[in-house]
Amino acid sequence: MNRIGYIIEKEFKQIFRNKVLLRMLLGAPVMQLILLSYAANFEVKNLTIAVVDQDHTTYSQRMVSKFRYIDNFRFLGYLPAYKPAYQQLLSGNADLVLVIPPHFERDLGKENRGAVQLLVNAIDGSKAGIAAGYAQQIIRSFNEDVRAEALAVSTTGLARVTIENQYWFNPRLEYKTFMVPGILFEILILVGGLIAALNIVREKEIGTQEQLNVTPIRKYEFILGKLIPFVIIGLVQFSLGLLIGVFWFRIPFEGSLALMYGFAFLFLLLSVGLGLLISAVSDTQQQAMFAAFFCLVLFILLSGLFSATENMPGWAQYLNVINPLKYIIEVGRNVMLKGSTFRDVQQQAITLALMALALISLASWSYRKTV
């Protein structure tokens, strides 16, 4: 145990002596959490809409006014014809163009039907789908008002079904609430996987690794001595991130704090195990960086941090079976937002524990005491 303690002491001295690394370990993850939580936002707001009104009647004005006073839309103005409206769509100034044809009010009154054209900029398919949904809902509301007036019946007198939405686990529908629990764990794999790998490979390059190899330190003592400091640092970072999430972003915390820390500890073991494995098979920092970058980018993009994994193609979902970040992000969101207990997330716990054991065992097996 003494020898493990000496290695841990050496690691901490080495980390604290490197001011740049220390700032990266403590400052960069906090900055990343704040910036990503604000920047990675898929909420659809401020949709710009232009109108081509070729009818100029009361009905056409009423329909346009419904768009003008909805917060999600920003009224760009009236355009005289279809061609300039198309130019606005082409230049990206307008997200939607509403075209109201001539005789719209007359057709609605006499033929009991009217048509409008809605052009949507669909380069971003997801945004276009949501924008079209908002617009259709507004047009449907206008249609219901007109029908009620035509029947000369007050809308309050009609039998109606009232819908009251209740949004569970994220009542304000904020994207930050979805993102922050995931980013908390994404930061841990960056610390454990990337920085741990680079730190150990750097020792190979400057020769201190060879000095350790000629000592009677055993393989498991070396692994534990390297593993523990980064786990401790990772837990400090996790605590900072958690405080920022709860007090800065006002993310609700419904679950067990002990359970969150238990999973953070387990995930840090796995992450540092990955970093040790990368360092064991790399001879230079450049090799280690490329290997870690390859793994981490794949893990992050496939993890469900930004979008639901269920919507990914089949091959990606099969690949995700070995993606530890996917499991821990599920755990983070479920425990933090839903208040899930260990029973609810035990499958993820078993999977992560097996992965951590496999990675640390592989790292230990790959480590060779050579001079």
Side-chain angles (χ1 to χ4, degrees):
M1 288 298 292
N2 284 341
R3 286 190 291 220
I4 296 174
Y6 290 138
I7 298 175
I8 293 172
E9 184 182 350
K10 176 194 97 49
E11 288 298 319
F12 274 118
K13 282 182 178 175
Q14 191 173 335
I15 291 169
F16 287 123
R17 198 178 294 136
N18 190 337
K19 300 297 180 188
V20 176
L21 180 63
L22 191 62
R23 290 192 195 104
M24 283 179 62
L25 284 171
L26 296 178
V30 172
M31 290 293 292
Q32 190 181 34
L33 175 64
I34 294 174
L35 293 177
L36 270 181
S37 300
Y38 279 118
N41 190 337
F42 294 110
E43 293 175 8
V44 178
K45 293 179 179 176
N46 296 321
L47 295 162
T48 51
I49 181 167
V51 175
V52 180
D53 185 0
Q54 299 171 327
D55 193 44
H56 301 291
T57 57
T58 307
Y59 275 11
S60 67
Q61 294 293 320
R62 283 176 56 184
M63 178 180 282
V64 174
S65 68
K66 278 186 171 288
F67 282 93
R68 296 185 70 165
Y69 299 109
I70 298 290
D71 290 339
N72 289 1
F73 287 94
R74 189 161 56 83
F75 186 63
L76 203 61
Y78 288 100
L79 297 171
Y82 176 85
K83 192 172 180 181
Y86 178 73
Q87 288 298 327
Q88 291 292 325
L89 205 65
L90 199 64
S91 64
N93 292 331
D95 295 313
L96 300 96
V97 172
L98 177 66
V99 181
I100 303 175
H103 313 303
F104 170 69
E105 183 174 317
R106 187 196 66 184
D107 294 346
L108 209 55
K110 289 185 177 178
E111 301 178 14
N112 201 25
R113 59 184 301 177
V116 294
Q117 185 178 19
L118 192 64
L119 309 176
V120 184
N121 182 348
I123 286 182
D124 182 344
S126 176
K127 181 181 176 183
I130 295 171
Y134 287 160
Q136 287 170 12
Q137 196 172 351
I138 292 171
I139 293 170
R140 196 176 300 121
S141 168
F142 167 80
N143 191 39
E144 287 173 0
D145 291 346
V146 170
R147 287 183 61 190
E149 289 172 8
L151 292 171
V153 178
S154 168
T155 53
T156 55
L158 293 174
R160 60 196 310 180
V161 176
T162 304
I163 301 173
E164 292 183 5
N165 295 317
Q166 288 188 341
Y167 300 103
W168 286 52
F169 315 124
N170 185 4
R172 291 175 292 176
L173 298 181
E174 288 187 341
Y175 204 73
K176 288 192 284 291
T177 304
F178 175 73
M179 288 296 293
V180 169
I183 296 173
L184 278 175
F185 289 102
E186 181 251 340
I187 289 169
L188 295 187
I189 200 169
L190 288 177
V191 174
L194 180 62
I195 299 183
L198 291 178
N199 185 267
I200 296 168
V201 175
R202 181 173 173 272
E203 285 199 49
K204 283 186 183 177
E205 291 182 334
I206 62 178
T208 53
Q209 180 78 48
E210 292 179 355
Q211 294 171 9
L212 282 173
N213 287 345
V214 296
T215 63
I217 293 173
R218 294 176 182 171
K219 191 185 286 188
Y220 79 90
E221 293 172 332
F222 175 82
I223 295 293
L224 285 176
K226 293 288 182 184
L227 195 75
I228 293 171
F230 287 100
V231 171
I232 293 172
I233 292 169
L235 287 175
V236 172
Q237 288 180 336
F238 183 74
S239 303
L240 284 174
L242 206 56
L243 288 172
I244 291 171
V246 173
F247 293 105
W248 181 285
F249 291 109
R250 305 283 181 190
I251 307 298
F253 194 103
E254 304 291 343
S256 162
L257 188 63
L259 187 59
M260 279 289 277
Y261 269 94
F263 270 99
F265 177 75
L266 178 60
F267 189 64
L268 276 165
L269 287 179
L270 184 152
S271 302
V272 180
L274 176 67
L276 291 174
L277 180 61
I278 290 172
S279 67
V281 298
S282 304
D283 294 322
T284 64
Q285 290 188 69
Q286 195 176 32
Q287 290 176 5
M289 183 175 286
F290 275 111
F293 183 77
F294 174 77
C295 295
L296 296 184
V297 168
L298 273 181
F299 287 164
I300 291 170
L301 291 180
L302 295 177
S303 64
L305 178 63
F306 300 103
S307 57
T309 55
E310 294 80 10
N311 299 331
M312 294 178 182
W315 61 265
Q317 295 190 32
Y318 283 120
L319 203 59
N320 252 338
V321 173
I322 57 168
N323 184 356
L325 200 54
K326 167 186 173 289
Y327 298 104
I328 197 67
I329 286 177
E330 287 175 1
V331 170
R333 285 172 178 157
N334 288 346
V335 173
M336 203 164 172
L337 303 180
K338 292 183 179 178
S340 298
T341 62
F342 180 75
R343 182 187 293 272
D344 301 319
V345 290
Q346 60 183 347
Q347 186 60 47
Q348 287 90 335
I350 294 169
T351 308
L352 288 170
L354 290 175
M355 285 183 176
L357 183 65
L359 284 170
I360 294 171
S361 301
L362 273 173
S364 178
W365 176 76
S366 304
Y367 171 62
R368 296 280 187 272
K369 290 190 68 172
T370 56
V371 181

